[in-house]
Amino acid sequence: MIETPYLLFLGDAPDPLAAKVAQGIKDWRPEFAVGQLRLEGCRADMGIPDMTLAEAKAAGVKTVVIGVANRGGVISQKWKKVLVEALEEGFDLASGLHNLLRDEEDLAAVARATGRKLHDVRVPAVKYPIANGVRRTGKRCLAIGTDCSVGKMYTALCMEREMRERGMKASFRATGQTGILITGGGVPLDAVIADFMAGSIEWLTPDNEDDHWDLIEGQGSLFHVSYSGVTLALIHGGQPDALILCHEPTRAHMRGLPDYKLPTLEAVRDMGLELARVSNPGCQVVGVAVNTQGLDEDAARAYLAEVEARLDLPATDPYRFGAGKLVDALEAI
Amino acid sequence: MIETPYLLFLGDAPDPLAAKVAQGIKDWRPEFAVGQLRLEGCRADMGIPDMTLAEAKAAGVKTVVIGVANRGGVISQKWKKVLVEALEEGFDLASGLHNLLRDEEDLAAVARATGRKLHDVRVPAVKYPIANGVRRTGKRCLAIGTDCSVGKMYTALCMEREMRERGMKASFRATGQTGILITGGGVPLDAVIADFMAGSIEWLTPDNEDDHWDLIEGQGSLFHVSYSGVTLALIHGGQPDALILCHEPTRAHMRGLPDYKLPTLEAVRDMGLELARVSNPGCQVVGVAVNTQGLDEDAARAYLAEVEARLDLPATDPYRFGAGKLVDALEAI
C-alpha cells in the first residue's frame, strides 16, 4: 500500500490530458489530494493548493505521486531535482510510468540512503498465489467491456461513490496503474505472470462481510485478441456475483485492431455470463454502462433507452447521468 | 533455440517417472537423444547408450539436458560436479526445473568463464510483442481441453509425427517446459507477462507456407479457473483454423480444484469455437482426442465410439490408437 495523503506532482505537463492520473486522484479520492506541485511551464491545474515540499510536509503529506505522463512514459531530467529533494525531505515516491523510478540510479541511491520507498505501480510488489477457485464470502461486481478503454474503471468508481453515499459497504479494487495510484493499492494485472493472474484477483478480493461489495476494475475484453486472457482471469479470479456490460457506441473498430469489429452487447453478455458461472454459478448480468461522451445529450439518452429496451437491463452513463440505476440493480440482488 | 543433439542427464532419478522429460525427448525427437548420463542409484533408463561427457563430445552432442525432476524442482548437489564439468567441456546446459541454473552461483560462474549457455526454459528469453491480431498465412491447429493435463501435448506430438509420415508440412509448437526441451524451442507461456501472452503465440506461429500446419501445444482449459486466461490467450494468439477437443474420461473433478466438475465436450466445443472465431472466423472443431489410459481396450473403444456418435466428430486416443483420424480431418479442411 502507498501511504496517503499525497502531493500531486504535475511537473511540466504540456496540457491537462497529460495529468490524467492526478485528475483521477483528485476526482475520486479528493481526501488524498492535499496539494499540487507544478514546475515552470505546467499547463495543468487540479484546482487544489500549490505547495512546496516544506508546505506539503507541514500538511501531513506522506507520498509524492507523479500525476503526469511524459511522452514515452519517461522520467524527465527536469523532474529529478524535485524528486530527489522529496526523498531527502522524507516523502515516498509513487509512479505509474513505464520507466521505473527504481531504474533511475540517482533516485534509487537517495531512496536507499534515506530509507524512503519508491512505488512503481506498474510492477507487482507481491508474490501472488495460483488461484484455488474456493468460493469467498462477500459480494463482487465486475465490469466487462465490448472493448478496451470503454469506461470500466470510471463505472466501478462511480458505483463505489454512489454506494458509499447510500451507506452501502463498497470497495473499488484497482487492477491498473491509474486505479492503484488513486486508491493506494491494487494489482497491476497486465504485468502479472500468466500463471498467477487469476490468483492475484483472488488475493485482491478476499473474504468479506456478506453485505460488502468489491467493485473490481475491469481490463481488456473477452473479444480483444491482445488482452482477452487478462479479462478471463479477472472473471474467473473475481468470482463476480454481478456483471456490468460496458460499451462505447461510436467506436469503429476494436482499440488498436483495425480489422476487428466490436462485438454486440448481447455477445458480451452471453459469453461473459457463461464463463463467469464457471466460478460463480449464481452470477447475473445486472446492467449496462455506456460511455456516451461521443454523443450529445439527446442522442445519449435515446441510445440508453434503446439499449434498455433491447437488453431488458438498466442502462446509464454513470459518469454523465449517475450510477443510481446500476446500484439499484446491485441492491436488488 | 537450444543447440542439438542432446546428452540426456538422468542424474539419480529415483524411478522412471522422475525422468519423464528425458522420456519425452527420446520418444518424440529420438534423433536429438544420442546418449544418456546416469549417476549411481539412477533407476531410469531410456534404452539409449550410456555416455561419459567425453564420449558425448565425440558423438557431436551440443547440450546436456537435465531430463530428470527432483522433488521440488531443485538442482541437486549430487549433480553439480557433472554439470560444472559439462560446461568446462564445452556443452551448454538446458533445464526446465523451477530452480534456475542461472541462480546457482557455481554454474553461473563457470558458464560465464567458459562462454557456455544456461537455458532455463521456464523463463522467457524473448521480449514478446503485444498481439496485433493480423491474420497470418499457413494453417494452425490447437488442442483445447476439458481440463489441464488431459493429453494436449501428446495429441499435438502424435499428430505431428503422423503428418510428417504422410509427407505433410507440420511443426509442433511448444508452449510448456517439456515441449520446449523436446523440440529445442518454444514459449514458456505460463511464465509470460499477462499483456504479452497472445503476442508470444503470434510470435511462435508466424506466417508460413499455405500448406504448412503449426500444431500448437495447448495449455490449461477455458473452464479451469486457475489457468483459463492462458488458454484464451492461446486461442486468440494462435488464430487456429482447427480445434481438437481433448478429454480424460475418468477424472472426478478439475485438476487441483475439488469443487469443480469437468465441463462437457459439447461445452468446450461451443465456447472454444465461438472464442476462436473472434481471431479466425473460419475456425472449425475437427476431432476429439481422448486420453484413455484409465480404461481397458474394450472400454476405450466403446467410449470413443460413443463420443463419435454423440458429437459427430472423429474421436481417437492418438497415443494408443494413432492420430490418423485427426490428421484425416485436417487434410479434409
Side-chain angles (χ1 to χ4, degrees):
Chain A
M1 290 296 289
I2 304 167
E3 278 198 85
T4 58
Y6 301 152
L7 176 67
L8 303 181
F9 178 78
L10 305 187
D12 50 349
D15 54 53
L17 208 63
K20 71 175 184 171
V21 167
Q23 190 69 51
I25 296 169
K26 192 256 171 184
D27 286 348
W28 297 105
R29 291 290 186 272
E31 67 275 23
F32 292 174
V34 303
Q36 63 186 4
L37 195 161
R38 301 188 291 168
L39 301 180
E40 205 179 300
C42 181
R43 293 211 173 77
D45 182 357
M46 297 301 118
I48 56 177
D50 285 290
M51 289 187 179
T52 63
L53 291 172
E55 288 165 346
K57 196 83 199 173
V61 164
K62 303 289 187 200
T63 302
V64 175
V65 175
I66 298 184
V68 55
N70 257 352
R71 201 181 296 247
V74 300
I75 294 154
S76 155
Q77 280 305 321
K78 288 188 195 162
W79 303 353
K80 280 290 184 65
K81 185 166 167 288
V82 179
L83 298 180
V84 166
E85 209 178 309
L87 290 168
E88 286 169 343
E89 299 287 330
F91 299 101
D92 294 337
L93 298 182
S95 161
L97 298 177
H98 254 295
N99 287 38
L100 304 184
L101 296 170
R102 69 183 70 167
D103 291 341
E104 302 291 316
E105 279 181 37
D106 41 4
L107 296 181
V110 179
R112 260 195 313 275
T114 57
R116 303 320 312 165
K117 293 206 182 101
L118 301 178
H119 296 282
D120 286 303
V121 302
R122 275 191 186 265
V123 185
V126 171
K127 200 168 147 43
Y128 303 113
I130 287 177
N132 64 24
V134 175
R135 288 280 290 136
R136 305 190 292 289
T137 53
K139 292 192 167 64
R140 287 160 198 84
C141 174
L142 173 68
I144 60 173
T146 52
D147 193 3
C148 300
S149 310
V150 291
K152 295 185 288 290
M153 183 182 79
Y154 270 69
T155 296
L157 285 164
C158 289
M159 291 177 71
E160 184 203 44
R161 176 166 290 172
E162 172 76 16
M163 292 169 83
R164 289 185 174 184
E165 283 171 7
R166 294 189 190 185
M168 296 170 72
K169 296 172 190 162
S171 305
F172 172 75
R173 300 296 192 182
T175 63
Q177 286 77 26
T178 305
I180 295 171
L181 288 172
I182 289 174
T183 58
V187 168
L189 185 59
D190 61 6
V192 172
I193 300 274
D195 252 4
F196 304 98
M197 294 186 297
S200 75
I201 302 305
E202 291 188 349
W203 173 90
L204 181 67
T205 61
D207 279 324
N208 217 316
E209 295 167 83
D210 285 342
D211 58 347
H212 177 278
W213 281 93
D214 278 331
L215 299 160
I216 308 173
E217 182 187 353
Q219 296 291 341
S221 165
L222 289 169
F223 293 82
H224 194 295
V225 297
S226 310
Y227 309 114
S228 54
V230 177
T231 309
L232 186 49
L234 262 170
I235 292 173
H236 281 164
Q239 300 179 353
D241 302 276
L243 294 173
I244 307 281
L245 310 179
C246 293
H247 185 52
E248 204 281 77
T250 68
R251 202 164 286 188
H253 59 74
M254 296 293 279
R255 189 173 166 87
L257 305 174
D259 297 340
Y260 289 78
K261 288 220 175 82
L262 268 71
T264 62
L265 280 164
E266 287 86 342
V268 176
R269 174 195 64 195
D270 295 345
M271 180 68 74
L273 194 59
E274 188 174 349
L275 286 166
R277 286 183 170 166
V278 172
S279 63
N280 186 345
C283 184
Q284 300 174 42
V285 175
V286 301
V288 185
V290 181
N291 176 348
T292 62
Q293 67 183 353
L295 305 177
D296 67 32
E297 180 156 344
D298 285 349
R301 291 196 186 277
Y303 186 84
L304 291 169
E306 187 273 319
V307 167
E308 288 203 338
R310 179 156 51 93
L311 291 168
D312 194 21
L313 286 171
T316 184
D317 179 334
Y319 193 68
R320 189 174 193 171
F321 302 124
K325 284 184 180 183
L326 303 177
V327 174
D328 291 347
L330 289 194
E331 283 199 298
I333 285 186
Chain B
M1 289 296 290
I2 304 167
E3 278 200 84
T4 58
Y6 301 152
L7 177 67
L8 303 181
F9 178 78
L10 306 188
D12 50 349
D15 53 53
L17 207 63
K20 71 175 187 175
V21 167
Q23 190 69 50
I25 296 170
K26 192 257 172 182
D27 286 348
W28 297 106
R29 291 291 187 272
E31 68 276 22
F32 292 173
V34 303
Q36 62 186 5
L37 195 160
R38 301 189 290 169
L39 301 181
E40 206 180 299
C42 181
R43 292 209 173 79
D45 183 357
M46 298 299 119
I48 57 177
D50 285 290
M51 289 185 177
T52 63
L53 291 171
E55 288 164 346
K57 196 85 202 172
V61 164
K62 303 288 187 202
T63 303
V64 175
V65 175
I66 298 184
V68 55
N70 258 353
R71 199 181 297 246
V74 300
I75 293 154
S76 155
Q77 280 304 321
K78 288 187 194 164
W79 302 353
K80 280 290 184 66
K81 186 163 168 289
V82 179
L83 298 180
V84 166
E85 209 178 309
L87 290 168
E88 286 168 344
E89 299 286 331
F91 299 101
D92 293 337
L93 298 183
S95 160
L97 297 178
H98 255 293
N99 287 39
L100 305 184
L101 296 170
R102 70 184 67 167
D103 291 340
E104 302 290 315
E105 279 181 34
D106 41 3
L107 296 180
V110 178
R112 261 195 313 275
T114 58
R116 304 319 313 166
K117 291 204 181 105
L118 301 178
H119 295 283
D120 286 303
V121 302
R122 275 193 186 263
V123 184
V126 171
K127 199 169 147 43
Y128 303 114
I130 286 177
N132 63 24
V134 175
R135 289 280 291 138
R136 307 190 290 289
T137 55
K139 291 190 167 66
R140 287 160 198 86
C141 175
L142 173 68
I144 60 172
T146 51
D147 194 4
C148 299
S149 308
V150 292
K152 294 184 290 288
M153 183 182 80
Y154 270 70
T155 295
L157 285 164
C158 289
M159 291 177 71
E160 183 202 45
R161 176 166 289 170
E162 171 76 16
M163 292 170 83
R164 290 184 174 183
E165 283 170 9
R166 294 188 190 185
M168 298 170 70
K169 296 172 190 161
S171 304
F172 172 75
R173 300 296 192 182
T175 62
Q177 286 77 28
T178 304
I180 295 171
L181 288 171
I182 288 174
T183 57
V187 168
L189 185 58
D190 62 6
V192 172
I193 300 272
D195 252 4
F196 304 98
M197 295 186 299
S200 76
I201 302 306
E202 291 188 349
W203 173 91
L204 181 68
T205 62
D207 279 327
N208 216 316
E209 295 167 85
D210 285 342
D211 58 347
H212 177 278
W213 281 94
D214 278 329
L215 300 158
I216 307 172
E217 182 188 354
Q219 295 291 342
S221 165
L222 289 170
F223 294 82
H224 194 295
V225 296
S226 310
Y227 309 115
S228 54
V230 178
T231 309
L232 186 49
L234 263 169
I235 291 173
H236 281 164
Q239 299 179 353
D241 302 277
L243 294 173
I244 308 280
L245 311 179
C246 293
H247 185 52
E248 204 281 77
T250 68
R251 203 163 285 188
H253 60 75
M254 297 293 278
R255 189 173 166 87
L257 304 175
D259 298 338
Y260 288 78
K261 289 221 175 82
L262 269 70
T264 61
L265 281 163
E266 287 87 341
V268 175
R269 174 195 64 195
D270 295 345
M271 180 67 73
L273 195 58
E274 188 174 349
L275 286 166
R277 286 182 171 167
V278 173
S279 63
N280 186 344
C283 183
Q284 299 172 42
V285 175
V286 301
V288 185
V290 181
N291 176 347
T292 63
Q293 67 182 354
L295 304 176
D296 67 32
E297 180 156 344
D298 285 349
R301 292 197 186 277
Y303 186 84
L304 291 169
E306 186 272 320
V307 166
E308 288 202 337
R310 179 156 51 93
L311 291 167
D312 194 23
L313 287 170
T316 184
D317 179 334
Y319 192 68
R320 190 174 193 172
F321 302 124
K325 285 184 180 184
L326 303 178
V327 173
D328 292 346
L330 288 195
E331 283 198 298
I333 286 187

